[in-house]
Amino acid sequence: MSKALAFINDKRVRDVFYQAALLIGLVALLVYFIRNASQNMVQAGIASGFDFLWRTSGIEVPFVLTNYTQSDNILSLFWAGVANTMLVTVIALVLSTALGFLIGIARLSSIWLVQAIAGAYVEFVRNIPLLFFVLFWYFGVIAALPAPRESLSVFGVAFLNNRGLTIPLPDAGANFKVAFIAIAISCLLHWFFLRWAKRRKEQTGKDAPVLRVGLVLLLLVPALALAWATLATRWDIPVLRGFNYRGGFVVIPEFVALLAALVTYTAGFIAEIVRGGIQSVPNGQIEASSALGLRPGPTLRLVTIPQALRVMTPPMTNQYLNVLKNSSFGAAIAYPDVVSLFMGSALNNTGQAIEIIAMTLAVYLVIGLAVSAFMNWYNARIALVTR
């Protein structure tokens, strides 16, 4: 009897029992919901399963990165929406990070006016809903642009109006593929050179011309490669015909408005993360760099920012995930992302609510976990190693 009581009173046994009971309860609840939903679909005459993905879509998409057409199946429509979601998310991540860094550094400026403007921007952005930014950029800025006949011309080859931005489109991308391969090789060579320069510095104490080699490999070579590809490629230049431009590629106003909203909104939060990260660096580090003769610019770039990144990376991950999730606000202005196309148009046409919602949630979950995994890897790589 005493052994049985001792077994029951064992904390490890109780923990396993409670966790098993909780898991069984969650599984039972999930099974109940699935069975209930399946019965409701049968009663409503809706067939379950994913066979609907191979039906003809018949849905027109105004902004397509893939080869999707109306005659393709719904699965192709799904991938077109995913591609549009990824496009606006990736560009917004890059631009919001750059803008957030500038605003965060400006908040610590010794110039009062710069500091005040940056602070006012951050406080304004953090207290306004994102939907306001989306609607403001779409109805307040993009809709106020001139009509196609009065378009704002950019060097006579690109035209901005209230129907979007029309830009030239290359007739063939072979030259740009060669250019991108050359850029990738150049970046790889720069990486190998940095590793070699670091080993040489540790072994001999001699510095290598890292800056000059970096300028050549990261700036000059890509610029020359892109210039060669641009000059060697035939371009489809937009031409005004009737009431709109024909030819080229049209960046729809919904994309521009959503991208601008995500960038300006997220940059305010990233700016606070940057400011907090910089202020977390001990003043002794800055004073030591000043004593060694470093100016404020090199001190910020070589001393402050590398140490502040250890503090900034975890909260920055949260903001990157927010950009991914907030891209779904494009549905408010009919941007053809995965939510608008798949959970909107495809769901209305097929009625397969459970399958479509599950696939959409899976897209956000997989992409979000991938972003988190990358940022966690980067955070572990730059973490301060102590004994």
Side-chain angles (χ1 to χ4, degrees):
M1 189 67 178
S2 59
K3 292 183 178 180
L5 289 175
F7 179 79
I8 295 174
N9 292 329
D10 191 339
K11 183 179 182 302
R12 291 175 296 179
V13 174
R14 291 201 308 271
D15 290 344
V16 171
F17 173 78
Y18 293 144
Q19 293 177 38
L22 178 61
L23 180 60
I24 292 173
L26 291 176
V27 171
L29 186 63
L30 181 62
V31 170
Y32 168 77
F33 280 124
I34 292 176
R35 292 188 59 186
N36 185 53
S38 178
Q39 292 174 0
N40 292 336
M41 291 176 65
V42 171
Q43 293 175 1
I46 301 175
S48 59
F50 294 91
D51 294 338
F52 72 95
L53 293 175
W54 281 265
R55 300 179 194 169
T56 301
S57 169
I59 299 172
E60 183 180 359
V61 181
F63 183 70
V64 180
L65 297 176
T66 62
N67 295 324
Y68 168 82
T69 61
Q70 284 183 268
S71 59
D72 290 336
N73 54 35
I74 295 178
L75 184 61
S76 299
L77 176 71
F78 169 73
W79 289 120
V82 172
N84 289 344
T85 297
M86 289 298 300
L87 176 68
V88 72
T89 299
V90 171
I91 298 177
L93 287 179
V94 175
L95 296 181
S96 61
T97 301
L99 181 60
F101 261 86
L102 290 176
I103 298 174
I105 294 173
R107 288 210 65 184
L108 300 174
S109 173
S110 58
I111 303 175
W112 178 85
L113 182 60
V114 174
Q115 183 181 0
I117 294 175
Y121 176 86
V122 170
E123 293 302 324
F124 176 78
V125 167
R126 296 177 67 193
N127 291 282
I128 297 296
L130 173 60
L131 184 59
F132 169 84
F133 279 82
V134 176
L135 298 179
F136 166 77
W137 281 102
Y138 187 65
F139 293 106
V141 178
I142 305 298
L145 291 173
R149 286 183 175 273
E150 292 81 29
S151 298
L152 302 177
S153 176
V154 182
F155 302 113
V157 296
F159 305 93
L160 179 64
N161 52 62
N162 55 13
R163 296 187 183 180
L165 176 64
T166 306
I167 58 177
L169 187 67
D171 290 338
N175 293 328
F176 281 95
K177 291 181 181 179
V178 175
F180 289 139
I181 292 174
I183 293 173
I185 295 174
S186 180
C187 294
L188 187 62
L189 290 175
H190 181 258
W191 181 74
F192 280 116
F193 180 78
L194 288 179
R195 289 176 62 99
W196 172 81
K198 183 179 179 181
R199 288 197 301 267
R200 183 191 182 198
K201 177 73 173 179
E202 294 173 350
Q203 295 174 359
T204 65
K206 296 181 179 179
D207 291 322
V210 175
L211 179 59
R212 285 175 293 183
V213 173
L215 290 175
V216 172
L217 294 178
L218 298 182
L219 292 180
L220 183 59
V221 172
L224 292 176
L226 292 176
W228 168 81
T230 302
L231 296 175
T233 302
R234 294 183 58 186
W235 293 83
D236 182 14
I237 307 296
V239 178
L240 181 63
R241 295 176 182 172
F243 295 98
N244 204 354
Y245 283 89
R246 298 287 184 261
F249 181 79
V250 180
V251 182
I252 59 175
E254 291 80 7
F255 172 82
V256 178
L258 179 60
L259 177 63
L262 290 174
V263 170
T264 53
Y265 181 79
T266 309
F269 293 87
I270 292 179
E272 280 297 275
I273 295 173
V274 172
R275 181 184 66 85
I278 292 175
Q279 289 182 330
S280 69
V281 178
N283 289 331
Q285 298 286 328
I286 302 175
E287 293 171 355
S289 62
S290 178
L292 292 174
L294 287 179
R295 295 182 177 181
T299 298
L300 180 66
R301 187 179 69 255
L302 301 175
V303 178
T304 307
I305 295 297
Q307 297 184 68
L309 283 175
R310 301 188 180 103
V311 179
M312 291 190 292
T313 300
M316 199 81 79
T317 303
N318 186 48
Q319 292 305 318
Y320 288 169
L321 294 176
N322 284 339
V323 171
L324 169 64
K325 293 180 289 186
N326 290 338
S327 65
S328 61
F329 276 87
I333 54 175
Y335 173 68
D337 65 343
V338 67
V339 173
S340 178
L341 291 180
F342 202 55
M343 284 188 61
S345 302
L347 178 57
N348 290 333
N349 286 1
T350 63
Q352 305 288 151
I354 294 179
E355 293 84 350
I356 288 177
I357 293 176
M359 290 179 64
T360 306
L361 292 177
V363 167
Y364 284 101
L365 181 62
V366 170
I367 299 175
L369 291 176
V371 172
S372 298
F374 174 78
M375 294 300 292
N376 289 335
W377 168 83
Y378 178 74
N379 187 43
R381 184 175 179 83
I382 66 174
L384 187 63
V385 179
T386 58
R387 292 184 179 179

